[in-house]
Amino acid sequence: MNPQDAPVILAWARSPVAPVGGALRELAAHELGAPVLQALLARAGLPARAVDAVVLGNALGAGGNPARMLALAAGLPERCAAHSVDTQCCSGLDSVALAAGLLMSGQASIVVAGGAEAWSRAPIRQTRPRHADELPVTYDRPAFAPDPARDPDLLQSAADHALAHGITRAVQEAHAIHSHALALAHRDRLAQEIVPMAGLDHDAYPRALNPARVARMPVVAEAAGAVDAHARQRHALSTPAISPKADGAALVLLATPQACARLGLQPRARWIASASLGHAPETPLVAAALAAQQVLERAAAALQRPCLTAPELQAVELHDAFAVQALAFAETLGLPLQQLNTGGGGLARGHPIGASGAVALVRMLSDLHRTPAAHRPALGLAAIAGAGGIGAACLVQAL
């Protein structure tokens, strides 16, 4: 496809992200998303009646159609199509890619897409008894692989990866401290993409971390296997090195170039390429880098370039569920850490599962548009990995 015919992005916005039980605890997913959607339309100067479809990622709603709830709550026309997507952590970014597909296939002209997760309001999950003499069993997370041996606890998997690749607890914690420091330093910059709600106009979690205190925080996961206790402790995961459970929403407004010309809309970015793929479920955090590599190859082809590498990009945003993931991602892509998550990442923000990929995209788009004119046309990448060994990534160009 000619890049000039690719879907374009008109606007982006997100809610604040707050830890579970915090300022957003009383809001359902559609209540988190509706003000963000309305802000998108206002920023683009577009009436609600122009939207053809909503594609929404949501991982913890346990059924229903959150996208339809959002469309109606935000005042979109009743004829508006609504598609809900659950690829767990990848849901928000996969939803935007699917929205781009709707536009490219001619099924829609203007689409709102992203993710919303009200983890604080998530239903209590139980398995239904198979026999009359059994009781329901409450569970926190579903299975992500049919073979239990291939479905490790995600914290355990991250700790195993840290040990296998020599990433120490001290290095992980130093990265987390830096992530929080970046988020605090750029709070005013981040506020420009945030739609205030529930009395909150900034991400609630970032804080100044004392290295000495962080070093005393408890270990939450150690590598398994026949290794000595010292090695397990040295490469363990502690609380600061993990993105906390959170509530939040993030959306983007996409359109075809033809719709922009017809309605007099001003595109702000062009959708160049996306990728969604699978990897070994034992090491899901690796899938983000694999998806990023694939999207770089696809983008190079779309832009008619011999190759494209991560260090050449003007903005790279990864939702880092773990510090070890960010460190591994940067190493795999040959990306200097200072180019990754320049406003702080998921470690400093939190993890509203179904929305996290869309939050990363909104962050990247905001940073991309601050690129000096001398470095235009600017390119940016967003990526995320999900439980079960899946990854998603996209690449866009600022206009």
Side-chain angles (χ1 to χ4, degrees):
M1 181 183 65
N2 187 328
Q4 300 301 318
D5 297 325
V8 295
I9 298 172
L10 303 174
W12 52 87
R14 66 180 179 91
S15 74
V17 176
V20 165
L24 307 180
R25 64 186 179 279
E26 296 184 1
L27 300 179
H30 64 276
E31 294 172 320
L32 290 167
V36 178
L37 196 158
Q38 291 164 343
L40 284 183
L41 298 179
R43 292 176 184 184
L46 191 70
R49 65 178 180 275
V51 179
D52 298 314
V54 172
V55 187
L56 186 73
N58 179 268
L60 300 175
N65 188 349
R68 181 62 172 169
M69 293 283 285
L70 172 59
L72 295 176
L76 299 186
E78 291 183 354
R79 63 165 178 78
C80 186
H83 308 273
S84 293
V85 176
D86 179 5
T87 51
Q88 291 294 295
C89 308
C90 297
S91 301
L93 201 53
D94 281 339
S95 292
V96 183
L98 291 170
L102 289 176
L103 296 171
M104 288 186 284
S105 64
Q107 298 182 65
S109 294
I110 298 175
V111 184
V112 173
E117 199 72 77
W119 201 329
S120 294
R121 304 301 308 150
I124 297 170
R125 306 187 193 196
Q126 290 185 322
T127 56
R128 188 179 297 275
R130 296 185 181 184
H131 306 289
D133 59 347
E134 293 180 349
L135 294 173
V137 177
T138 301
Y139 66 97
D140 184 48
R141 55 154 277 189
F144 296 121
D147 180 358
R150 304 197 66 197
D151 188 19
D153 176 84
L154 297 178
L155 297 176
Q156 183 67 64
S157 175
D160 290 345
H161 189 89
L163 178 62
H165 293 268
I167 303 174
T168 65
R169 172 182 172 177
V171 170
Q172 295 173 51
E173 290 175 346
H175 181 70
I177 291 169
H178 182 61
S179 184
H180 280 262
L182 286 173
L184 291 174
H186 297 292
R187 177 171 283 181
D188 290 345
R189 188 178 94 190
L190 271 62
Q192 297 172 28
E193 69 204 36
I194 291 175
V195 178
M197 59 186 70
L200 187 65
D201 62 0
H202 60 275
D203 296 328
Y205 188 62
R207 58 206 190 279
L209 295 177
N210 180 293
R213 182 181 177 190
V214 166
R216 295 194 299 271
M217 288 186 178
V219 165
V220 294
E222 290 184 0
V227 295
D228 67 87
H230 176 72
R232 289 198 304 269
Q233 293 242 335
R234 188 165 181 265
H235 297 85
L237 269 65
S238 61
T239 304
I242 302 166
S243 182
K245 301 175 181 179
D247 302 317
L251 299 168
V252 297
L253 180 62
L254 302 100
T256 63
Q258 294 78 12
C260 291
R262 185 177 73 251
L263 297 171
L265 302 172
Q266 183 61 49
R268 301 189 66 197
R270 179 178 291 118
W271 188 262
I272 300 298
S274 63
S276 183
L277 50 73
H279 177 64
E282 294 90 342
T283 53
L285 64 84
V286 174
L290 298 179
Q293 289 174 325
Q294 188 172 97
V295 89
L296 287 167
E297 293 173 5
R298 291 178 177 176
L303 296 169
Q304 298 183 330
R305 296 174 57 159
C307 68
L308 184 62
T309 65
E312 297 176 69
L313 306 178
Q314 282 68 51
V316 181
E317 192 75 19
L318 166 75
H319 173 76
D320 44 358
F322 308 101
V324 64
Q325 181 184 28
L327 296 163
F329 180 89
E331 182 177 5
T332 300
L333 296 181
L335 182 71
L337 270 176
Q338 62 266 27
Q339 285 185 243
L340 179 65
N341 297 348
T342 58
L347 290 172
R349 191 168 50 238
H351 191 4
I353 298 184
S356 293
V359 173
L361 175 57
V362 167
R363 281 268 54 258
M364 179 266 282
L365 284 164
S366 295
D367 286 349
L368 198 62
H369 271 263
R370 294 186 183 87
T371 304
H375 296 287
R376 299 291 183 100
L379 298 172
L381 182 146
I384 190 167
I390 57 174
C394 72
L395 191 139
V396 303
Q397 182 182 50
L399 297 175

